[in-house]
């Protein structure tokens, strides 16, 4: 698990350095076997240390290390819903958080697919109703949304995104933030989002068996 611990520290520091979080907000988790490593409570991502991470079991019970982030249940719920995912990143990045606060937010397509990389790394984006930070009553809503998409937007809060590893989850978080920024920059202007056909063409194609 040493390699996983180093990855958590590296990505946590990268998230803070890229300005995707502020203060002591944001948290991340990585799964290895039946254990989940999560960032501890009350620690800025800039100061996360590989030696001081919380260890949970698959049900979210605290096994060792410092007390986990109060939002650890979000990570556990997403990982439970998505067996192929091994990492989750949650930030309060400015433009994605601003998007989550819009009164007229489209619940079906909260962010139009303005770029190909958004289509490849994020879409579809699922909206989760508002719950107070740390309110474990959100568990069911988060888990249900995560069965439909690896990318969630918590109302009046921010994104929670899963990936096959921490780097993939971080790429998706950054792509969501970038596209949300473009969305606000083009507000009031006519845009040309990608079509359903464009999005379909971006998805990995099934491997073709060679013909004899």
């Amino acid at each position: 698990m040493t390699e996983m611990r180093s990855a958590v520290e590296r990505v946590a520091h990268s998230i803070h350095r890229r300005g995707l979080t502020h203060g002591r907000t944001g948290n991340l988790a990585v799964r290895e076997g039946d254990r989940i490593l999560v960032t501890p409570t009350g620690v800025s991502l800039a100061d996360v240390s590989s030696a001081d991470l919380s260890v949970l079991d698959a049900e979210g019970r605290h096994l060792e290390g410092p007390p986990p982030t109060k939002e650890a249940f979000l990570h556990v719920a997403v990982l439970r819903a998505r067996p192929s995912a091994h990492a989750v990143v949650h930030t309060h990045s400015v433009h994605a958080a601003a998007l989550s606060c819009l009164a007229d937010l489209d619940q079906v397509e909260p962010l139009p697919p303005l770029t190909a990389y958004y289509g490849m790394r994020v879409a579809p984006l699922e909206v989760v109703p508002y719950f107070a930070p740390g309110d474990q009553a959100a568990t069911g809503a988060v888990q249900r949304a995560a069965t439909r998409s690896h990318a969630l937007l918590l109302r009046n809060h921010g994104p929670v995104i899963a990936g096959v590893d921490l780097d993939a989850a971080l790429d998706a978080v950054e792509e969501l933030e970038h596209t949300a920024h473009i969305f606000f920059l083009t507000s009031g202007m006519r845009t040309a989002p990608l079509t359903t056909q464009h999005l379909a063409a971006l998805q990995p194609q099934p491997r073709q068996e060679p013909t004899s």
Side-chain angles (χ1 to χ4, degrees), residues 107-108 110 124-128 144-146 148-149 151-154:
Q107 300 297 299
V108 176
L125 181 62
E126 285 282 331
V127 178
V128 178
R144 286 190 296 274
R148 297 188 292 268
S149 177
L152 314 180
L153 184 66
L154 309 182

Side-chain angles (χ1 to χ4, degrees), residues 31-56:
R31 169 167 59 190
E32 184 173 42
D34 59 355
R35 295 291 184 268
I36 300 172
L37 283 174
V38 298
T39 47
T41 188
V43 177
S44 166
L45 292 189
D47 300 323
V48 165
S49 166
S50 61
D52 295 312
L53 299 176
S54 304
V55 182
L56 313 179

Side-chain angles (χ1 to χ4, degrees), residues 21-193:
T21 190
H22 66 282
R24 292 182 290 176
T25 64
N27 35 76
L28 52 150
V30 63
R31 169 167 59 190
E32 184 173 42
D34 59 355
R35 295 291 184 268
I36 300 172
L37 283 174
V38 298
T39 47
T41 188
V43 177
S44 166
L45 292 189
D47 300 323
V48 165
S49 166
S50 61
D52 295 312
L53 299 176
S54 304
V55 182
L56 313 179
D57 67 13
E59 298 305 313
R61 290 183 286 263
H62 184 205
L63 300 178
E64 59 184 86
T69 170
K70 66 182 178 183
E71 295 178 321
F73 70 93
L74 295 175
H75 302 274
V76 174
V78 171
L79 291 171
R80 186 184 299 126
R82 304 194 70 81
S84 63
H86 295 281
V88 181
V89 171
H90 168 48
T91 71
H92 298 177
S93 49
V94 173
H95 297 93
L99 180 71
S100 79
C101 297
L102 295 180
D104 57 351
L105 186 67
D106 187 329
Q107 300 297 299
V108 176
E109 190 177 76
L111 192 57
L114 296 171
T115 71
Y117 283 100
Y118 176 81
M120 288 188 285
R121 293 176 175 168
V122 181
L125 181 62
E126 285 282 331
V127 178
V128 178
Y130 172 77
F131 291 88
D135 184 354
Q136 296 197 23
T139 301
V142 168
Q143 188 166 327
R144 286 190 296 274
T147 63
R148 297 188 292 268
S149 177
H150 73 291
L152 314 180
L153 184 66
L154 309 182
R155 267 307 222 156
N156 302 87
H157 194 157
V160 176
I161 300 188
V164 294
D165 56 28
L166 281 168
D167 288 316
L170 175 56
D171 283 347
V173 164
E174 194 162 33
E175 200 61 49
L176 170 57
E177 177 64 10
H178 178 70
T179 306
H181 192 183
I182 293 172
F183 173 76
F184 285 111
L185 285 174
T186 57
S187 178
M189 305 177 192
R190 293 183 63 196
T191 58

